[in-house]
Amino acid sequence: MKLEAGGDLGRRIASSLGAITLEKVTEAGFANARANAPRIAAGKSIASLVGAPVGQDDSALVIAAGPSIHRFPDTARLIKESGFCGAIVATESAMAWALRHGIVPHLVVTLDPHATRIVRWFGDPTLDDDALRRDDYFARQDMDPRFREDQLRFNRELTTLVDEHGPRMKIAISSSAPELVARRAAESGMDAYWWNPMYDDYDAPESLTRKIHAMNNLPCVNAGGNVGAACWVFAHAVLGKKRVGIVGMDLGYYADTPYSQTQYYKEILTLVGPNGLDDVFIRLVNPHLGREFYTDPAYLWYRDAFVEMAQQAECATYNCTGGGILFGPGIYWSALKDFLAGKA
Amino acid sequence: MKEVLKGNFATRKKVVAPEAGEDLNTRFEREALKRLGGSIAFVSKKKFLFGLDQAKDEAKEG
């Protein structure tokens, strides 16, 4: 069986995404950091989380919002019934799934500077029909199907749910987060800890990372390109956990997912047209499952970054997702049940 | 090279040679790269944290 197929253009794009992502996020990230400066100055740093008792043992479970947590309906039950007492660290995009299944994360992480989309994961009190018409991202995304249905009603329910549980959750909020997210986290009563994303090599002359650190004195975190990777970095590098399990980090799509439900579909379609899609989407066989998944350039870049980081980390990493393309050196493939029971 | 390839005739319209690297794939890639970036940067081959010790000291003092 051929382990990788198609996606020649996608691979070339992925190899360039480090530089282009830096170009994409720097201006918005710094602008948001300036807008957040009063909250940062009055708030806490993630330095306060180092050594703090988050969870009761040396393990953590990262919950991301990949499609596998919906494909495996037992995921929430397994977590709740396991008696797992480590830290639960969730992406903001997985918070809705966790809360509606009765799982309250100890720590939620957010970092994306996008001005209007990210607040939706928290419940956006200002959402209306006009906003839905302007951006159909949530009607198309594959991360949480509930966000696709009756969006205004679901948004109201989520807003209530986050307001109810906010005071029980910590949030590691990046200085790059948009002001709407910072305000929403504060208004829901979440306990906020601020940090900077690492933008570039802190040893380089004119380093942007050093520049933002000088602006607000916050620690800088190498976030791996996305919020799921950032959760994993927080689990071991900040909370000091030695066993870190991961669910919902597919970094890819099941073969039966239509291209139209992928993260960058509209952008890719605009650029290459319907006949060029197979040159951008990359197909890979997960050797642990003997099953094919496909991915896009951003997810492939995230995967490669994660594999590099996993080999440097002072923790054991167990991918319990059950699907997707996050496999490689430094990552153990494990059943969620085994990880939760300490058998992995 | 330009001299070697120069024809012995003049064109009616001015011929503008495409910029080097301006083939279709390059153009797609350049445009795609603007839209397909990640959520935040990743810095290869560096530590996970920078500036934590200084921030910890300030947290203690604060």
Side-chain angles (χ1 to χ4, degrees), chain A residues 117-270:
Chain A
R117 283 183 185 169
I118 307 304
V119 72
R120 287 286 303 278
W121 300 121
F122 297 76
D124 178 2
T126 67
L127 188 70
D128 57 21
D129 282 321
D130 283 345
L132 294 181
R133 273 192 290 274
R134 283 194 299 273
D135 186 1
D136 71 346
Y137 171 80
F138 283 89
R140 293 186 297 104
Q141 52 79 38
D142 69 321
M143 290 195 286
D144 191 335
R146 287 293 305 277
F147 279 80
R148 298 201 295 260
E149 309 154 2
D150 197 349
Q151 292 189 61
L152 289 176
R153 192 180 81 175
F154 179 70
N155 181 67
R156 281 193 301 274
E157 291 170 358
L158 178 59
T159 304
T160 302
L161 197 60
V162 172
D163 286 346
E164 180 187 344
H165 294 288
R168 295 168 63 196
M169 295 187 284
K170 294 177 170 52
I171 182 165
I173 181 168
S174 167
S175 61
S176 57
E179 201 273 339
L180 277 176
V181 168
R183 193 192 323 157
R184 180 75 184 102
E187 288 174 355
S188 67
M190 298 174 92
D191 187 14
Y193 295 81
W194 290 91
W195 54 285
N196 289 320
M198 212 175 271
Y199 285 93
D200 57 3
D201 181 356
Y202 44 77
D203 289 326
E206 309 292 320
S207 161
L208 293 167
T209 301
R210 282 187 182 272
K211 186 178 173 187
I212 192 117
H213 179 62
M215 262 173 63
N216 56 27
N217 290 322
L218 292 173
C220 302
V221 178
N222 199 351
N226 69 99
V227 67
C231 287
W232 171 81
V233 173
F234 272 90
H236 70 82
V238 177
L239 301 181
K241 303 301 183 182
K242 299 299 181 193
R243 291 177 70 246
V244 184
I246 297 168
V247 288
M249 202 179 297
D250 296 77
L251 301 184
Y253 309 99
Y254 282 79
D256 60 0
T257 306
Y259 284 155
S260 60
Q261 283 183 12
T262 62
Q263 290 291 304
Y264 297 89
Y265 172 70
K266 279 193 164 180
E267 291 83 354
I268 293 171
L269 185 67
T270 301

Side-chain angles (χ1 to χ4, degrees), chain B residues 1-3 5-6 8 11-12 14 16 24 32 36 39 41 43-46 53 57:
Chain B
M1 195 65 173
K2 276 183 178 175
E3 290 304 310
L5 295 176
K6 194 171 175 182
N8 60 356
T11 56
R12 285 185 183 171
K14 187 180 178 184
V16 180
L24 200 57
L36 301 183
S39 293
V43 188
S44 181
K45 297 183 177 66
K46 302 306 286 187
D53 291 340
D57 291 344

Side-chain angles (χ1 to χ4, degrees), chain B residues 9-62:
Chain B
F9 60 92
T11 56
R12 285 185 183 171
K13 290 183 181 174
K14 187 180 178 184
V15 176
V16 180
E19 292 289 320
E22 276 287 297
D23 60 55
L24 200 57
N25 277 349
T26 305
R27 188 153 57 84
F28 279 159
E29 197 165 325
R30 195 181 65 238
E31 291 301 315
L33 288 174
K34 290 179 184 172
R35 295 173 168 84
L36 301 183
S39 293
I40 206 68
F42 163 62
V43 188
S44 181
K45 297 183 177 66
K46 302 306 286 187
K47 294 178 181 175
F48 291 107
L49 302 170
F50 168 75
L52 180 66
D53 291 340
Q54 183 187 343
K56 271 161 61 178
D57 291 344
E58 288 175 9
K60 280 179 193 165
E61 288 166 13

Side-chain angles (χ1 to χ4, degrees), chain A residues 47-129:
Chain A
S48 306
L49 287 175
V50 177
V54 180
Q56 292 173 14
D57 63 16
D58 68 347
S59 61
L61 179 66
V62 168
I63 304 178
S68 284
I69 57 171
H70 308 290
R71 298 253 177 172
F72 297 107
D74 283 345
T75 302
R77 183 183 60 76
L78 287 172
I79 296 169
K80 287 189 290 186
E81 293 180 358
S82 67
F84 180 72
C85 57
I88 294 183
V89 184
T91 64
E92 84 283 72
S93 49
M95 179 172 57
W97 176 88
L99 293 180
R100 70 177 186 264
H101 287 90
I103 299 166
V104 182
H106 295 97
L107 181 67
V108 173
V109 179
T110 190
L111 55 75
D112 193 308
H114 195 285
T116 55
R117 283 183 185 169
I118 307 304
V119 72
R120 287 286 303 278
W121 300 121
F122 297 76
D124 178 2
T126 67
L127 188 70
D128 57 21
D129 282 321

Side-chain angles (χ1 to χ4, degrees), chain A residues 327-343:
Chain A
F327 52 83
I331 303 168
Y332 299 109
W333 191 262
S334 171
L336 176 60
K337 195 174 178 180
D338 291 342
F339 171 76
L340 293 169
K343 292 178 184 169

